């Protein structure tokens, strides 16, 4: 259930579902998704579903991870990216193969501690994890080529958009009852927003959880 062959079937399914970026597909084919999920659920790791990961949070489905990664990458290698909502670290691990450096922020301390250990064991080194409220971004490490938010919001704070390079993009779910994936691209004149397919994410929350 957790074999290479199962993973390859997931990749084939993603390709059939319209994921076109072969770099994203090959990275997802190489990262063992079952290691990011509780053992009791590991046999479902390669199904196209989101699954619980403790603290009331969920690991995004493979399709969402692939779709957000291809939107962020826009067919070009990335230098520095910021992820808001580290969760179990699966998206973080994918991004670490697509960018030179990944900064990732998580508000739930104990969840981040587990994820830190997991990513260290997997020898993923080009990441910087931070326990903080991600809505402020990471001014000390900006600017970013890309920012990805893995929890839904109704409003993007300007301070976050200012941390993008010109030409950079923010990929995030927007809405409340009805949610859509959105991309905001920074250009020389300002920002342009594109609204894409309907999705379903846990909400972004402010403040941090210590234990
Ligand atoms: N990419 C993750 C998604 C986890 S769910 C995965 O696949 O595992 C969304 C995550 O965003 C949760 O871990 C939640 O705690 C975190 N989150 C919500 N609001 C946040 C905020 N303001 N700052 C940082 N992280 C936040």
């Amino acid at each position: 259930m957790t074999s290479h062959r199962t993973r390859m079937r997931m990749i084939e399914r993603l390709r059939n579902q319209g994921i076109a970026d072969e770099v994203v597909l090959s990275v997802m084919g190489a990262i063992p998704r079952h290691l990011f999920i509780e053992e009791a659920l590991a046999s479902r790791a390669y199904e196209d579903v989101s699954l619980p990961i403790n603290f009331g949070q969920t690991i995004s489905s493979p399709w969402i991870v692939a779709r957000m990664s291809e939107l962020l990458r826009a067919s070009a290698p990335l230098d520095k990216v910021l992820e808001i909502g580290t969760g179990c670290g699966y998206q973080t691990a994918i991004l670490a193969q697509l960018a030179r450096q990944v900064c990732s922020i998580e508000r739930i301390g104990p969840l981040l501690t587990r994820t830190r250990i997991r990513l260290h064991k997997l020898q993923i080194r080009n990441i910087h994890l931070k326990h903080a409220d991600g809505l402020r971004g990471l001014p000390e490490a900006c600017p970013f080529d890309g920012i990805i938010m893995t929890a839904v919001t109704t409003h993007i704070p300007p301070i976050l958009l200012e941390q993008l390079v010109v030409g950079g993009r923010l990929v995030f779910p927007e809405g409340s009852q009805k949610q859509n994936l959105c991309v905001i691209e920074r250009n020389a004149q300002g920002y342009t927003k594109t609204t894409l397919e309907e999705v379903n994410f846990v909400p972004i929350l402010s403040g941090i959880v210590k234990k």
Side-chain angles (χ1 to χ4, degrees):
M1 291 306 261
T2 54
S3 69
H4 181 71
R5 201 143 44 105
T6 318
R7 200 142 71 229
M8 288 304 110
R9 273 205 297 274
M10 174 184 84
I11 299 304
E12 203 41 52
R13 204 171 55 233
L14 291 172
R15 206 178 268 122
N16 292 336
Q17 289 169 335
I19 302 299
D21 189 332
E22 286 296 327
V23 175
V24 169
L25 291 172
S26 85
V27 166
M28 288 185 66
I31 306 264
R33 184 173 155 92
H34 61 278
L35 299 183
F36 292 80
I37 294 169
E38 298 288 301
E39 247 173 77
L41 288 170
S43 65
R44 304 193 60 196
Y46 298 97
E47 293 175 19
D48 202 26
V49 288
S50 56
L51 295 166
I53 54 165
N54 289 319
F55 306 98
Q57 305 305 316
T58 54
I59 177 173
S60 304
S61 73
W63 183 82
I64 281 289
V65 172
R67 183 71 179 126
M68 291 182 92
S69 302
E70 82 174 356
L71 288 169
L72 194 73
R73 219 177 80 85
S75 309
L78 294 157
D79 185 49
K80 201 159 33 155
V81 306
L82 173 67
E83 176 187 38
I84 299 167
T86 317
C88 70
Y90 177 67
Q91 173 84 69
T92 322
I94 303 292
L95 292 173
Q97 309 291 314
L98 300 174
R100 184 184 60 81
Q101 204 201 339
V102 181
C103 301
S104 185
I105 309 177
E106 172 57 55
R107 65 182 286 276
I108 302 178
L111 178 57
L112 188 62
T113 301
R114 288 194 200 182
T115 296
R116 197 183 288 285
I117 294 166
R118 176 180 297 125
L119 292 171
H120 185 79
K121 272 194 199 149
L122 288 167
Q123 301 191 337
I124 299 171
R125 303 273 186 249
N126 57 331
I127 52 173
H128 170 67
L129 304 179
K130 183 156 172 136
H131 181 212
D133 181 344
L135 281 170
R136 294 190 202 104
L138 205 57
E140 65 268 33
C142 78
F144 299 101
D145 286 338
I147 302 178
I148 191 167
M149 195 183 272
T150 69
V152 69
T153 182
T154 50
H155 171 70
I156 295 292
I159 190 177
L160 208 53
L161 294 174
E162 288 158 14
Q163 293 176 31
L164 282 172
V165 297
V166 172
R169 54 176 59 80
L170 167 69
V171 179
F172 67 106
E174 183 186 56
S176 49
Q177 298 293 63
K178 183 178 175 296
Q179 308 175 7
N180 289 83
L181 267 190
C182 289
V183 179
I184 294 181
E185 194 160 358
R186 183 172 194 176
N187 51 46
Q189 289 75 42
Y191 300 94
T192 54
K193 182 173 153 192
T194 315
T195 302
L196 300 159
E197 48 275 84
E198 210 171 316
V199 287
N200 187 18
F201 279 81
V202 295
I204 197 109
L205 299 171
S206 56
I208 61 168
V209 177
K210 289 200 174 142
K211 49 182 167 184

